[in-house]
Every structure is written in structure tokens, then in C-alpha cells.
Amino acid sequence: MSEGTLYDKVWDRHEVTELPTGQTQLFVGLHLVHEVTSPQAFGMLEERGLDVAYPERTHATVDHIVPTADQSRPYSDDAAEEMMSELERNVRDAGIEFDDPTTGRQGIVHVVGPEQGLTQPGMTIVCGDSHTATHGAFGALAFGIGTSQIRDVLATGCIAMEKQKVRRIEVTGELDEGVTPKDVILTVIRRLGTDGGVGYVYEYGGEAIQDMDMAGRMSICNMSIEGGARAGYVNPDETTYEYLEGRDRVPEGEAFEELKAYWESVASDADAEYDDVVTIDGSELEPVVTWGTTPGQGIGISEEIPAPEDLPADKADSARAAQEHMDVEPGDTMDGYEVDVAFLGSCTNARLPDLREAAEVVKGREVHEDVRGLVVPGSQRVKAAAEAEGLDEVFKDAGFEWRGAGCSMCLGMNEDQLVGDERCASSSNRNFVGRQGSKDGRTVLMSPPMVAAAAVTGEVTDVRDLERFEEVRA
Amino acid sequence: MSADDGDAGPADIVTEVTGTGVPVRGNDIDTDQIIPARFLKVVTFDGLGQFAFFDVRFDDEDNPKEHPFNEEQFQGASVLAVNANFGCGSSREHAPQALMRWGIDAIVGESFAEIFAGNCLALGIPTVTASQEDVEALQDFIDQNPDAEVEVDVVEEEVRYGDTVVDATVDDAQKRALVEGVWDTTALMGANADTVKETAASLPYTNV
Ligand code: SF4
């Protein structure tokens, strides 16, 4: 059993009692709500005649179904409009604060929480969304939950959970130019498997993680779930505190210092005990892209696509099916794989630093004539900040569409979808068959600069081979 | 349980599920496959059963394709046999809801994604694990004997079919919840409201 880790400490601080099921009743410090997974839970509450116990610890936004082109109401999609109205009614009745698109704060729930300072170290955070793990970047325990658990949290302010094991993932060394946090997490998932994290919470640490900004840490924690772990976190440090200071929901002055003392106290002890430790040499990594239909089917850009028969027996069949779906051959690299769409967005990679990095690649270049390029900022604030520094012009000049904030083509619940068997270079987190709205569509996961590179060349490209990097190297 | 009955919900106590089986083979079957995102644009779970595995069951013209859920001999099945990491991906409870409303009351697999298993539990659906070998044998058996009953015994942690008894594993909390009928965590936790207030008050971030 782990001891002295952030997980242990935050768990203990939030433990209410042990339940007859053997689970722990945990107090929830922040409950984030969006439109897709909450209506049924509010419905269950209503059926039982229960009220929302802690509306002040609950915060809502709308992200999955919002159109990112024309956002005027009513939405042209009736089902989307119905979901939006339902959410509006539920939050109004319960007195829950709601970042609707008229507030200028709307966006993907995992972008909105951190940027407003709602997400803080040492909290327990839940949301009816598996990528809630994102918030772990701040040293919070953040879990995705199902609809019945949403009902639990709404009604009681708590969730019932079993304690899990803690695996420390130590990323040593310095990342090379052109190698990003996305490449680190795709490597973790590839090495440990899509189910390697089942039963574990991941603690990410080591030099490469310490050197990352908060956006990078969020990209990593975000995809913990793709590695099978329910949650992932990074211990809070000066980078965390600097990010938080001055945000809307973070107190100032003495109150800030008091909170900071708590935040520091929950970080894992130097002699903390872990159930497992895995080390990855960050300095060895190159940009990673996926060749298949699970996030674990990834390779370095210079590596060859594996032959199914060379993989462990239980991976061979799915690899074969995936290669057929993706139309790739073992022995080839992904370098040169033609794409029709470049999607820059999602809760993994649509924060300001992500857009900046991509814009740097795009600047002075043009989106390939056969490619539809889409930039969907993670939130209205990200969008405004990007526009303030002229990133929108860079993208638009190059031929990208510059959209409103939302989940968009990450899962294709609005009109932004792949068509037919289109191939998409995507900065999102899931390449499952059908994920981007077309069951024949093909998704290649990669970092924002790699998406930018694919957009301009029309094929999967090592961003380090583009001129900018040649100049740097020369 | 018929597909899509309106009052589908957790039974009080689930010690055993008996019924015919349906095998769905493959590792890493994700929730986007179990219920594609476009069917999530709903404010209730009613009627989701018909959309279970939709994109692998139907082609672009909505004509049925080859899939166990389409096959005549598996209609009415209540025990689903799956492989590793079933239910990975999103937290959508729509996934187990769709399966349940199609008729599934228990799932036997090599392993399950945790949020999915938790969502199943909330609906009173056991997610029982067994070794790869045993699961594959069960799937083969069901293929050959679609009318035979499969017994998923939560108490004894066994899956029985034909003359075979398979050692299975049921997660401790899941077992207690199902067997003792204490799955209603809302009621359980709601009873501790005062202690919750104390815990909340003891946290440094709640009073700023
Ligand atoms: S951006 Fe994608 S992964 Fe993130 S919350 Fe939205 S749909 Fe889910």
C-alpha cells in the first residue's frame, strides 16, 4: 500500500466514513457539470425529491454539443437545443453557477475549471466525464464518474470509492525540441498499455514533468484514462502556484498564503512509498503518432508500424483490425500518411500554449490544398487571449477555420465531424473507430505542432523536419 | 428482462444471474462502440437499447451487419461474454444503460474499465472477471449452445454452464453491494450528512 503520497494525504483529508459496501465516502471539493452526463442525474434527484446538497461547490459549463460555428439560439440541432435548455433549467433550479456562452467563460469543462482557478491543489474534483483526470495536473485528486455517481454527488456532496494503488511514473531528462507532453503520455500508454493503469492512480514526476508548464501537465494527466488509470496527478510546485495566483477563484494576500501552505503540505513526501514505479527516459523520445484505433497503438515518427504477429497474442487481432481500418501496412512508418483534416482542439490540447506552439509552425505557411484545417480553442477565454496576441490571424491567414469553443470534432456531437473515410491529424485523445463522427473516419493522434505540420504538408510529418527546425539546427 | 423495458433499474439484491449468453469478442471495446456519441443527445436513457453497438451492427443504410447482437439465436440473451478492457473510454453511463435495455443483466469478461464497471454496478449489473482461457471457452460454448443457460453466481464467484464451473472474481465492494443490496450509495451517504459537514468544514479551502 502506498504511504505518504499526495493521493494518500488528500484521500485522508476528504474521508467522511467507511460505508457498509467497504467503500470510502469521500467529500467532493469541486463538482463540475456538463450537459451530456448530467440531465439523467438531475432527473433521478427530482424523482427522489432531493435537492442539490452543495450547489456552491458545483460549477457548470456546456461543451459537448455547442456548435462552434453559428452559436445563435435556438441551436439548429433540436437535440442540442433540448440538452442546453435542460441544463439551463437544472442549474437555475439548483442555484448552480453556469458558464453559458454569453458569459465569455464557456468552454470545455477541463479547460474552464483550471483557467478560472476553480481547480486547486489538494482538492477532490469529480465530473461526469472521464477526462476529469486533467485537473490532477494541479495536485488534485480528480476522477471521472458515471451518472449514478453524479446523482450521489449532487445529493450528498460525496462519492463512494475504493482506494487504489499508486504508480509513480518518473520521466527523467529533458525533452528534445519538437517533443511535447503529448508525446510523453502517448509513450506512457504505449508502454504500459490501455489497461495498464486499471486499479492505479498515476503520479507523474521527474525532471521532464517539473520542467513543464501547467498546460503540458494537463495534457499528460488528461490522458491517464486512456492508459486505464482513473486519475493522474502531478505534485504541486512553484509552477502551479504561479499559475493559480491572481485567477478568479483564488483568494489573494494572506488567504492565498494560507491555502498555499495547505497545497505544499499535500505534496508527496520525499520518502513516500509507491505500489509501483516506472521510469521513462524523456530525452530519448521523438514525436509520437498513433497508427491504430486505440491510444496505445502509437509509435515514434521514425519507427515502423509493427506487424500484428510480432505483438503479444492478445494484441494481434485488434492490431490487424486496426491496420485494416487505418489502411496502414506493417513495416511502413506513419511519416507520409496522407490526411484530409487537421483538428486542433480538445481538452488535451486546446489551451493557449498549445495554440501558440501550433501557430509557430503554421506561421508563414499555408494549409495544404487538400486539407480542411480546424482550430477550436478550449474556451472562450483561450480564444480571446489567442486573438489578443494575433494567433487567430496566423491560423486564418494560413487557411484554418477559427472556431468558437467546445469539444467539437473530438467526439463529433455537434456538426464538426469527419465525413466518410476521411483521415484526420488530431490533437485530441481518442482514436477509437467512429470517435470523430464517422464510423469509417480515421484518426491519428499527435501533438499540436505535429497537427500543424500535417496541416501544411497534407501528410503526417515530423515537425522537426520542417524548415523552422532545420534553421534552428543549422 | 425484455429489451427496452421502461422501468429498468437496479434490483435490490443480485446474487445470481441466469440466462442465455451472447459473446462479443475483442479487446479494448470502447464506449464509443457500445453507444456512439450521436445517441447521447438525449435527456433520458429510455430507448437506448436499440442503439447498443449501433455502428458495428448496421451499415450506412441502417441494414444489419454481422454482429452477435443482430443474430437471431442471441436475441433474449442476458449474459454478455467479453474479453479484455471492455468499456474503456468515456464515462457515459449510456453504455451500460444501452446494454441493459437491450437485455443484458450480467457481464463476464477478462477485465473491465473501472468507470464502466462502476456504472454497471449502479445499475445492478455484475461485471465478473475470469481468465482469458476461461472467457474464450465460455464464448465458444455460447456460440455452439446459444440456447443453453449460463449462470453467473456472484456469491460463489463462479460462472457455470454445461458441465463446466469456472472460477471467477467479483470485486469486493461490488460483491457486497450486489449481495447485500447496498448499492444505493445515495441513500447510504445521505444518512451521514452531518459528518459530511464536519469533513467539509475541516478543509482549508472550503471557508475562503
Ligand atoms: S474535448 Fe473531447 S475528451 Fe475532452 S471533454 Fe470534450 S469530448 Fe471529452
Side-chain angles (χ1 to χ4, degrees):
Chain A
M1 259 339 240
S2 62
E3 230 183 274
T5 70
L6 179 138
Y7 179 69
D8 295 291
K9 296 186 198 183
V10 178
W11 183 278
D12 289 350
R13 289 296 295 251
H14 292 76
E15 178 164 355
V16 175
T17 185
E18 190 177 317
L19 295 169
T21 55
Q23 292 166 303
T24 301
Q25 178 171 355
L26 269 193
F27 178 70
V28 170
L30 174 65
H31 179 198
L32 297 165
V33 169
H34 68 63
E35 76 282 14
V36 179
T37 49
S38 67
Q40 296 87 354
F42 280 109
M44 295 179 205
L45 222 61
E46 213 168 295
E47 264 168 40
R48 294 195 187 195
L50 297 171
D51 288 330
V52 175
Y54 291 89
E56 72 283 7
R57 308 222 65 82
T58 314
H59 195 95
T61 186
V62 58
D63 47 14
H64 287 65
I65 53 101
V66 284
T68 59
D70 176 13
Q71 296 194 330
S72 56
R73 297 284 298 277
Y75 298 146
S76 56
D77 175 353
D78 292 343
E81 178 61 29
E82 189 192 358
M83 294 184 82
M84 177 65 163
S85 310
E86 182 82 7
L87 180 64
E88 287 173 322
R89 188 178 65 83
N90 285 329
V91 295
R92 191 180 51 233
D93 290 355
I96 293 167
E97 198 172 344
F98 176 35
D99 297 330
D100 77 54
T102 63
T103 60
R105 297 188 306 258
Q106 172 266 339
I108 307 172
V109 63
H110 312 307
V111 176
V112 159
E115 78 184 356
Q116 293 181 30
L118 285 157
T119 301
Q120 293 172 15
M123 274 187 175
T124 44
I125 301 177
V126 301
C127 174
D129 193 283
S130 56
H131 290 101
T132 309
T134 313
H135 306 262
F138 290 80
L141 291 191
F143 305 101
I145 57 175
T147 297
S148 304
Q149 285 175 300
I150 302 177
R151 178 196 65 199
D152 286 349
V153 188
L154 288 173
T156 71
C158 297
I159 50 167
M161 270 201 127
E162 283 165 275
K163 207 168 172 196
Q164 294 175 300
K165 292 184 278 192
V166 184
R167 174 179 288 144
R168 164 99 175 167
I169 298 182
E170 179 90 15
V171 188
T172 58
E174 224 178 288
L175 303 184
D176 270 352
E177 169 98 40
V179 179
T180 69
K182 183 70 162 280
D183 304 304
V184 173
I185 188 63
L186 285 172
T187 302
V188 169
I189 300 165
R190 176 192 176 189
R191 298 230 180 127
L192 302 179
T194 46
D195 56 355
V198 174
Y200 284 95
V201 161
Y202 284 174
E203 173 179 307
Y204 303 98
E207 194 187 340
I209 305 285
Q210 278 158 14
D211 288 349
M212 275 174 206
D213 63 9
M214 292 313 296
R217 294 177 187 186
M218 283 189 258
S219 302
I220 297 221
C221 290
N222 174 275
M223 289 190 72
S224 301
I225 189 78
E226 272 65 51
R230 186 85 180 261
Y233 66 86
V234 175
N235 282 304
D237 60 12
E238 286 307 321
T239 306
T240 322
Y241 312 141
E242 259 168 46
Y243 177 99
L244 286 171
E245 198 163 8
R247 305 242 159 211
D248 317 51
R249 305 311 171 102
V250 179
E252 293 166 24
E254 213 170 298
F256 180 81
E257 292 307 321
E258 272 172 41
L259 260 186
K260 192 170 149 186
Y262 169 64
W263 298 344
E264 286 170 337
S265 77
V266 295
S268 294
D269 297 333
D271 60 353
E273 284 174 32
Y274 298 90
D275 299 286
D276 191 29
V277 179
V278 169
T279 304
I280 287 177
D281 183 352
S283 66
E284 276 185 351
L285 303 183
E286 57 173 344
V288 178
V289 297
T290 54
W291 52 262
T293 54
T294 82
Q297 292 169 327
I299 40 168
I301 186 69
S302 71
E303 280 177 80
E304 289 177 7
I305 297 164
E309 53 273 21
D310 295 343
L311 295 171
D314 60 328
K315 302 270 182 259
D317 281 348
S318 44
R320 220 167 272 127
Q323 293 181 355
E324 194 180 319
H325 180 83
M326 296 298 293
D327 193 19
V328 296
E329 295 289 336
D332 290 351
T333 67
M334 284 303 286
D335 204 337
Y337 183 84
E338 280 179 23
V339 300
D340 309 293
V341 178
F343 172 62
L344 208 53
S346 92
C347 58
T348 316
N349 280 125
R351 298 181 180 81
L352 189 57
D354 299 313
L355 300 189
R356 277 188 191 138
E357 282 170 32
E360 213 179 309
V361 176
V362 166
K363 203 168 194 162
R365 297 194 163 95
E366 272 177 32
V367 173
H368 190 276
E369 55 181 5
D370 297 332
V371 174
R372 180 156 60 104
L374 212 65
V375 187
V376 183
S379 71
Q380 291 181 323
R381 284 192 172 178
V382 169
K383 184 175 186 185
E387 286 173 356
E389 45 187 84
L391 300 185
D392 57 327
E393 293 302 328
V394 174
F395 285 115
K396 284 191 284 194
D397 287 349
F400 275 97
E401 290 175 41
W402 179 252
R403 293 294 192 83
C407 295
S408 175
M409 207 187 269
C410 174
L411 92 166
M413 264 186 88
N414 68 358
E415 69 282 7
D416 306 334
Q417 305 189 351
L418 293 184
V419 180
D421 63 359
E422 277 183 331
R423 299 159 163 210
C424 179
S426 180
S427 68
S428 58
N429 45 42
R430 286 183 177 150
N431 51 346
F432 299 148
V433 173
R435 172 72 179 183
Q436 295 192 287
S438 164
K439 61 184 169 185
D440 300 317
R442 294 171 277 197
T443 305
V444 184
L445 302 178
M446 59 187 79
S447 71
M450 287 288 284
V451 171
V456 300
T457 61
E459 55 187 48
V460 174
T461 304
D462 188 342
V463 64
R464 299 170 303 178
D465 291 345
L466 287 185
E467 220 176 341
R468 179 176 81 96
F469 290 88
E470 281 156 16
E471 275 168 15
V472 168
R473 268 190 248 150
Chain B
M1 191 184 290
S2 68
D4 259 339
D5 62 358
D7 60 356
D12 281 339
I13 288 179
V14 180
T15 52
E16 191 179 298
V17 173
T18 303
T20 59
V22 51
V24 173
R25 293 168 199 267
N27 296 336
D28 297 312
I29 292 185
D30 54 77
T31 49
D32 281 88
Q33 269 182 63
I34 300 172
I35 180 105
R38 62 182 184 282
F39 301 120
L40 309 188
K41 278 192 237 172
V42 291
V43 294
T44 77
F45 292 126
D46 299 340
L48 283 183
Q50 55 186 308
F51 303 125
F53 291 115
F54 195 87
D55 284 348
V56 272
R57 276 171 68 194
F58 299 97
D59 68 13
D60 292 336
E61 276 81 49
D62 287 355
N63 298 313
K65 297 200 290 191
E66 210 175 291
H67 188 278
F69 269 44
N70 285 343
E71 284 169 39
E72 190 55 43
Q73 74 262 34
F74 297 130
Q75 302 307 312
S78 53
V79 177
L80 175 62
V82 299
N83 300 98
N85 202 26
F86 186 80
C88 60
S90 92
S91 66
R92 60 187 71 156
E93 188 164 311
H94 309 68
Q97 286 277 0
L99 296 175
M100 178 177 81
R101 286 159 196 274
W102 186 85
I104 299 301
D105 296 328
I107 315 180
V108 181
E110 292 169 41
S111 63
F112 296 93
E114 287 170 56
I115 302 180
F116 178 82
N119 280 336
C120 286
L121 178 60
L123 303 178
I125 301 174
T127 46
V128 171
T129 55
S131 71
Q132 185 184 348
E133 223 180 352
D134 286 339
V135 170
E136 286 172 358
L138 170 65
Q139 291 174 324
D140 291 344
F141 172 84
I142 297 172
D143 264 332
Q144 283 144 25
N145 306 277
D147 298 327
E149 294 214 319
V150 178
E151 292 172 42
V152 179
D153 190 329
V154 178
V155 181
E156 298 299 328
E157 305 197 20
E158 281 175 2
V159 177
R160 296 183 292 265
Y161 60 91
D163 303 327
T164 310
V165 179
V166 175
D167 266 341
T169 307
V170 185
D171 165 86
D172 284 347
Q174 179 181 148
K175 184 168 174 175
R176 246 180 283 186
L178 292 170
V179 173
E180 292 166 29
V182 284
W183 49 267
D184 185 357
T185 40
T186 298
L188 281 180
M189 297 197 292
N192 304 327
D194 292 338
T195 329
V196 177
K197 281 207 187 89
E198 286 166 29
T199 308
S202 75
L203 290 162
Y205 64 80
T206 51
N207 46 19
V208 286

